[in-house]
Amino acid sequence: MTKFETLGLEKPLLDAISDLGFETPSEVQEKAIPILLEQETDLVALAQTGTGKTAAFGFPMIQKIQSESRTTQGLILSPTRELCLQITNELKLYSKYVKGLSTVAIYGGASISDQARQIKRGAQIIVATPGRMKDMIGRKMVDISKIDYCVLDEADEMLNMGFFEDIKDILSNTPKEKLTWLFSATMPKEVSVIAKKFMHKPQEITIGTKNAGTSTVQHEYYVVGGRDRYPALKRLADANPGIFSVIFCRTKRDTQKVAEKLIEDGYNAGALHGDLSQNQRDLVMNSFRKKQVQMLVATDVAARGIDVDDITHVINYQLPDEIETYTHRSGRTGRAGKSGISMVIVTRSELRKIKSIEQKIQQAFLSKKIPTGIEICEIQLYHLASRIKETEINPEIDNYLPAINDVLEGVDREELIKKIISVEFSRFYNYYSKTRDLNSSDDRVDRGERKDRSKGDIPSNGSVRYFINVGERDNYDWMSLKDFLRDTLDLDKEDIFNVDTKDSFSFFNTDAQHTEKVLQTFTEFKVDGRFINVEVSKNPGGSGRGGRKRDKKRGHRKGGDNKSFRGGRKNNSGKKGGKKRPGFY
Ligand code: ADP
Ligand code: MG
């Protein structure tokens, strides 16, 4: 008797399970399946991503559904098209020995009439995104008035994406007596609201963080200067030649930018975010599954729940706003018992976030150093040598061997090896041999390092002078620039002084205590598509309050649309939009 049998599953499912190669149920499966099979109850199940939730609701649903009847009996709502397709595929695999059972996926961005036709043919189980589901209910293309089971999968994410109203509408079209099974990685307030409002005395199961699938994940952080994120990312990739990774950025724009840079720099990279068409997203996902894309740069929403096994590394190019999101990210690796690494690129000022994450995941981070250029060259060299050794010889080569021998005549073995290696190696060597160390000290009180970085002109107290690459040409005068800096930096007016605008750049001062904030804020800071750079000025002139006279007063910025300025920042600072739902689902 297998463990799955003891849970109460019957032959058609057991056979499919054995085909799938599942040997033992995961914890959430072990807890949820008997409850759902034996009891007519609502259920709230909390378990991290990658813990096998699909089967936890899928097996019982498949077993309980009458496959002889063609009535739609089960509805599964899931946040994204990708997840919707993934769940559908899984359910089809699980139910392959259940005669007559049909599972249909409905989601936005594909032909609605095709989907309606599939449903008309009879779909006992529908897997849907909320937006498309609501649409099809409105057009009377689906009938969910007789369902027995409703699953809200990744409920936290559906609510994050602003699907609350849609879910409410959809549920109002379902019978009161149906059972609702809610699955979620986390339990924010919004999820408990749903549980209270739409569920009847749900049983609850929680799979503890410690036993979750992600304990096979090692967490590492790398401290760099804000401006060095991209070169650091490149080094992390180069130091891990077999990398197969998801790289998380905070915004769609950063996602696109990082992916483009990687492609330009010769990596097999792709972008996945909500501004791409469905078609583009499918293409990227397909190449990623086939490992033609080694580095998938993605937003959290677009990558949510993507079930690709064997991901070796998750790289947090930027930390997410919410700590919870980090768990979702790192859960992309270390799946199905394999080990994985979740890397975080941080600046010193973000280090406290690492502490909070450690508390949340109850696992310690390793502080690691970005490899130096020379270390990377070495790694690449050994990787190349072992690749050469392991390469299967292509028999076609034989045909060309005489000619090749002619060309290589007189080159001895030693020299030949050196030359072969150099073909590839020189690319790395030329790039890395002259590069600098990217590591910032992660010691929060190590001022020496900071001094070093800024050429020694940050005094431990007193004022610091900065250079900023906007000026009168950008319609600033000293007053409006001061206003902009005050708002952007969230400082008081008196904290910014000696603002001195030139044609295409300007200078200003703050007290030394604000330096970190200033440099941090203006890291990868873009306005209207243009980077705004702030650096500590090498010329400390202009220090001392009151030194500058207000002689440059020339009124306010002409036509300077403060709005678009602020707007640029907002876009850059991530998904603060709250209820707004991306338009692509
Ligand atoms: P979740 O929904 O919790 O994120 P999934 O249901 O997508 O997790 O499952 C993650 C992966 O684990 C899938 O590839 C799935 O096929 C596999 N899996 C699920 N249950 C088992 C099991 N009992 N044994 C081995 N692999 C499993
Ligand atoms: Mg899932």
Side-chain angles (χ1 to χ4, degrees), residues 183-195:
F183 286 78
S184 188
T186 60
M187 187 78 174
K189 244 195 253 105
E190 294 80 359
V191 174
S192 30
V193 168
I194 287 263

Side-chain angles (χ1 to χ4, degrees), residues 480-518:
S480 56
L481 184 59
K482 186 169 179 165
D483 286 344
F484 162 69
L485 290 167
R486 183 202 55 195
D487 292 349
T488 306
L489 294 165
D490 195 22
L491 290 175
D492 289 332
K493 214 162 184 157
E494 310 79 69
D495 291 333
I496 296 152
F497 46 95
N498 291 318
V499 180
D500 191 359
T501 47
K502 312 273 187 216
D503 184 37
S504 58
F505 56 90
S506 310
F507 295 98
F508 63 95
N509 283 44
T510 70
D511 278 342
Q513 69 186 90
H514 300 306
T515 302
E516 181 132 18
K517 185 174 194 178
V518 173

